[in-house]
Amino acid sequence: MQQTPYFIFKPKILTQNYLEFETLCQRHLKNFKICYSVKTNSSPEVIKTLNRLGSNFEVASLNEIKLVPKKFVVFNGPCKIEEELRIAIKNKFLINVDSKSELEKIAAILKGKPAEVSLRISLKDSKFGFDEAQLNSIIEYAKSGNIFITGIHFHSGTQVNLHEYKANLEKISIIVYFLEKKGIKLKYIDIGGGFPDKIQLKNLNLSLENYLSAINQHLNKFNVTIILEPGRNLVCDAFELITKVNVIKENFGRTYAILDVGINLLSKITLSAYKFTKINKQDKEINKQKKEYILAGPLLFSNDILGKFIGNLKEGDLIKIENIGAYCYNLAWDLSYNKPKIYIER
Ligand SMILES: Cc1ncc(COP(=O)(O)O)c(C=O)c1O
């Protein structure tokens, strides 16, 4: 038996998810590029599998640039440095410019040579991109440095509900009309990520197709390539984590099952709903009365609590944790315990 905890990567699920996403894009969009958001899960096998399927990539740092094949790459982020920008320019990445300072850096690298870039536009108050009121002046400023705006980029947030998603698409189409009126010929509308994972779609009583059909409705009228940057929708259920119950204990009237994983691997900031299932079910336990256990991790932090489990647990039981493909691997803390290995399910 493998040493717990360990991750299991399921390339077949990732492949199914990518093909489903691509089929829906083909059904609803005239021209599109899927650029997987690398930060969501940058394990090399994920990148390799998606590359084989024809995916492009969205990166946000030098580390991520080094991980991806140099085909069509979207470069995002509010903190791009000169070294990254030089590589992006040399490899003809689509740069989604986040600030005036970044435009100045690009102009300095290019020394007057013309270039095309995209602008990140923020639909709400945030540290990202430009607000709508800045668009006129930034486009003129770019032009004066021989830099031409041929794309715009938005990101609606993550696990976004359809109502909010549609409202953002509506705002985007108004901005595109405004830019067209100004004589700006866009090649790309990059709509970022925001496609919920399977569990969230089920909770919202929606399907991925609802999102793609909304994009069709609002943006297909423009003669551009739509860039989509899915993250969690592709990888969330393509990873599982296997953990062991190491200790059962009682105090303050509660029963705790202490696992060998905690918030060091299952951070709340991933915004994923984790699903816990005991995998060594034994027949004789069927008639036992169910109990409530608080699932807690091994760390010396009092907030290292993962959730509740109703059933029967004993020390040595194995628990499978599903829906952990987004961020858990990349955010894993190297604190008291090492980052677990990833086994690939063939
Ligand atoms: C710019 C950008 N694109 C894509 C994504 C992926 O988002 P999601 O996993 O919700 O599809 C993110 C995640 O926050 C992002 O910031």
Side-chain angles (χ1 to χ4, degrees), residues 237-254:
D237 59 343
F239 275 70
E240 289 172 0
L241 181 60
I242 306 297
T243 176
K244 197 196 284 176
V245 179
N246 274 343
V247 175
I248 300 280
K249 65 178 279 183
E250 298 197 349
N251 70 11
F252 296 97
R254 303 181 207 278

Side-chain angles (χ1 to χ4, degrees), residues 29 46 52 61 102 117 124 134 151 154 167 204 242 252 314:
L29 308 176
V46 167
R52 260 190 246 121
S61 69
E102 193 179 316
V117 298
K124 57 182 177 209
Q134 293 174 303
F154 303 84
L204 295 170
I242 306 297
F252 296 97
K314 60 179 181 333

Side-chain angles (χ1 to χ4, degrees), residues 21 35-40 58 60 74 76-77 96 120 128 153-160 190-197 228-235 326-327:
F21 199 94
C35 299
Y36 168 67
S37 178
V38 170
K39 68 181 164 299
T40 318
E58 179 255 337
V74 173
N76 280 334
N96 285 328
R120 175 155 185 173
F128 297 111
H153 173 238
F154 303 84
H155 172 65
S156 292
T158 199
Q159 304 279 47
V160 189
D190 180 343
I191 54 170
F195 309 97
D197 65 36
L228 309 98
E229 303 172 356
R232 63 174 73 242
N233 180 270
L234 299 184
V235 289
Y327 303 107

Side-chain angles (χ1 to χ4, degrees), residues 29 31-35 72 74 94 96 118-119 121 150-155 165 168-169 171-177 179-180 185-192 215 218-229:
L29 308 176
N31 294 307
F32 67 91
K33 283 188 189 294
I34 302 171
C35 299
F72 184 84
V74 173
L94 178 66
N96 285 328
S118 269
L119 290 183
I121 301 171
T150 55
I152 49 170
H153 173 238
F154 303 84
H155 172 65
Y165 197 77
N168 286 342
L169 289 171
K171 286 186 201 160
I172 295 170
S173 75
I174 292 168
I175 292 173
V176 178
Y177 281 131
L179 292 173
E180 279 184 347
K185 178 100 195 65
L186 291 182
K187 292 184 185 168
Y188 300 108
I189 302 176
D190 180 343
I191 54 170
I215 301 168
H218 289 90
L219 301 184
N220 240 0
K221 55 193 170 224
F222 303 114
N223 196 17
V224 295
T225 297
I226 308 279
I227 297 174
L228 309 98
E229 303 172 356

